[in-house]
Amino acid sequence: MKSLLILGAGGFGQMVKETAGLLGYDKIVFLDDAAKGSDVVGKCCDYLVKHEEYQVAVAAFGNNHTRLYWTDRLLAAGYEVPPIVHPSAVVSPSAVLEQGCFVMQRAVVNTHTHIGRAALINSGAVVDHDSSVGCGAHVGLGSIVKANCTIAPGSRVEAGEVIFSTRRKIEGADSRALEDAVYAFGFGPHCSYVKPFGEGHINETYAVYMPVEGGKDEPLYVLQRMNINVFKNPGQVMENIFSVTEYLREVIRSEGGDADRETLSYIKTKSGENYFEDDEGQPWRCLNYISDSVCYQQVERPEQFYESARSFGRFLKQLGDYPAEQLFETIPQFHDTVKRFRDFSLAVQSDVKNRARLCRPEIAFALEREKDCGILMEQLQNGQLPLRVTHNDTKLNNILFDKETGRGLCIIDLDTIMPGLAANDFGDSIRFGASTAEEDERDLNRVHFDIHLYELYVKGYLEMAKDVLTAQELASLPWGARLMTLECGIRFLADFLQGDTYFKTAYPEHNLVRARTQFCLVKEMEEQFDQMIKIVEKYGGTV
Ligand code: GN1
Ligand code: MG
């Protein structure tokens, strides 16, 4: 015999009795302080003594507070207090129903919902997926709780009412825009928290932590707000990125590699867009976080630099057949050294912040090198150098290394993928990685161009890319190193003169400090230029 003790013999109690009958209980009795009847066997306070006779009990009061109160007392007394689900209700197998809750006739409790203790989902109500109904709450007759909603404990949704998705607060999402972005890419309902991430000078980057097995949180995605001062046309940037990464996936797969780790995978918004535009018109994009990888701000071991060279060489090779001219030029004339020089001269002339007086020697250094700025641009215009798919920001810290093997794994920061010169990508790597100090080292005695690192890079790069490059391109590589370093210095100095509007800075003369390190490297490269050429000849097989 299956018996049930019901506390509360009012209207709702009677509904529960009928339901229990359908569920196969054959002895069903009430405790009630006021009601009389043959099936009322005592007052509510008799629940303790009745426990000898009854093992299973529920509290069937319409009042939310009373229902929760008596449910908890029954539990404390050691009763089994099951959820009562009418046979006509539809409950997802993934829904969690806590003790003493009720799901009445034709109610729908959808996928991944949570129904708290003593909650009541009344006849015909719908609780849609990923929603949660708090302890002792009442979802009224025929009401609708839409997906991803949270109904507060003890609260009441009126009969026929519709509850629209209420957003959870996401830890670390300090701005409305960031929170909107988290939701736009569909992480809102489950995301544990977001945290600033990375060291870029241009975009704002966050890691998105999600719950994984074992109750831990792990970063699974990266969210980035793109800087529209720099990237005036985010749609085009994302178009370039999606088409290049999708192309790379295919190449990597055909080479037997792991396409999920060896290139970035970007994720579209829930509405299928390449990026999300927030209320202020700022674009956000999302990509997969590549686990077990590391990123270095500076060469710690020479092999790392060699590995990075192989990665960038491989990148050039893998994209060797990609039609470079189909890419958008998202920052026009990005590495046009002639134009960079012109912009710099204008910044010196206008000197809007009256800062030129603080950097006369640096200005002179740059101005003396006007002729150099034309060297590769001229070869491009003459058709002596071809356009390639270039990355245009080939710093060491734009490569992820495999934590386990130490090999170069994946090239990141694909914003500036554009048609460009191979020499510029090569050169930018040298500028950043063949330096003995960080880009913003104040003590110039520590900043040197390390020709051994240069040689290591040439070796790794040409092992991968030698067959793709033309003889003229090979010969252009050492110039690429000099010119990218000079250009970067000029850009830092111009930004300093213009009041630091482009690069993020941490202190007032930050851009000037950066410019100085670059010029220091340029000078040393000039002194060792013959050797730089010979090294390329050695590994390029041209001697
Ligand atoms: C900028 O954001 P980040 O650090 O990857 C810049 C590069 C510079 C570099 C200097 C779009 O890159 O061109 O070489 O700073 N990117 C852009 O560290 O201007
Ligand atoms: Mg960059």
Side-chain angles (χ1 to χ4, degrees), residues 201-202 334 393 395 413 416 431 439 491-492 502-503:
H201 293 348
I202 307 286
F334 189 56
D393 193 9
K395 302 188 291 191
D413 189 3
T416 43
R431 168 189 88 72
E439 199 175 70
R491 290 174 64 197
F492 287 142
Y502 187 91
F503 296 103

Side-chain angles (χ1 to χ4, degrees), residues 93 108 123 152 168 220 230 232 274 280 286 308 323 343 364 408 425 481 501 506:
V108 175
S123 313
R168 308 160 51 227
L220 296 188
V230 175
K232 312 269 185 227
N274 285 353
E280 287 146 28
C286 179
S308 81
D343 291 349
D425 269 4
T501 58

Side-chain angles (χ1 to χ4, degrees), residues 1-182:
M1 180 125 86
K2 213 174 151 193
S3 44
L4 178 68
L5 182 66
I6 302 178
L7 272 63
F12 180 54
Q14 300 301 330
M15 278 172 69
V16 171
K17 181 179 177 182
E18 259 180 38
T19 304
L22 296 173
L23 295 174
Y25 290 95
D26 33 29
K27 182 177 176 199
I28 305 169
V29 296
F30 290 107
L31 295 181
D32 196 291
D33 290 354
K36 310 275 180 234
S38 57
D39 54 359
V40 179
V41 297
K43 288 181 180 294
C44 291
C45 58
D46 297 331
Y47 75 106
L48 288 174
V49 287
K50 289 292 174 192
H51 193 19
E52 281 168 20
E53 206 178 328
Y54 298 92
Q55 266 68 59
V56 186
V58 292
F61 298 97
N63 180 282
N64 286 347
H65 179 260
T66 317
R67 190 170 65 252
L68 182 58
Y69 171 82
W70 281 108
T71 300
D72 285 342
R73 295 197 66 169
L74 290 171
L75 285 166
Y79 277 98
E80 185 190 325
V81 186
I84 299 290
V85 179
H86 193 277
S88 68
V90 180
V91 177
S92 157
S94 63
V96 175
L97 304 188
E98 286 196 8
Q99 291 159 311
C101 72
F102 299 91
V103 182
M104 305 309 288
Q105 300 96 316
R106 298 215 159 178
V108 175
V109 173
N110 224 330
T111 312
H112 297 310
T113 46
H114 186 270
I115 310 297
R117 205 168 70 257
L120 162 55
I121 314 302
N122 221 331
S123 313
V126 176
V127 180
D128 203 10
H129 68 83
D130 298 291
S131 285
S132 158
V133 177
C135 300
H138 176 183
V139 177
L141 298 166
S143 64
I144 293 174
V145 174
K146 294 190 69 180
N148 301 313
C149 288
T150 303
I151 304 300
S155 66
R156 178 187 175 93
V157 176
E158 274 307 329
E161 194 178 356
V162 179
I163 305 294
F164 291 86
S165 125
T166 44
R167 275 191 180 180
R168 308 160 51 227
K169 183 91 199 92
I170 289 159
E171 203 185 311
D174 300 332
S175 70
R176 171 68 195 265
L178 174 54
E179 191 181 290
D180 286 348
V182 171

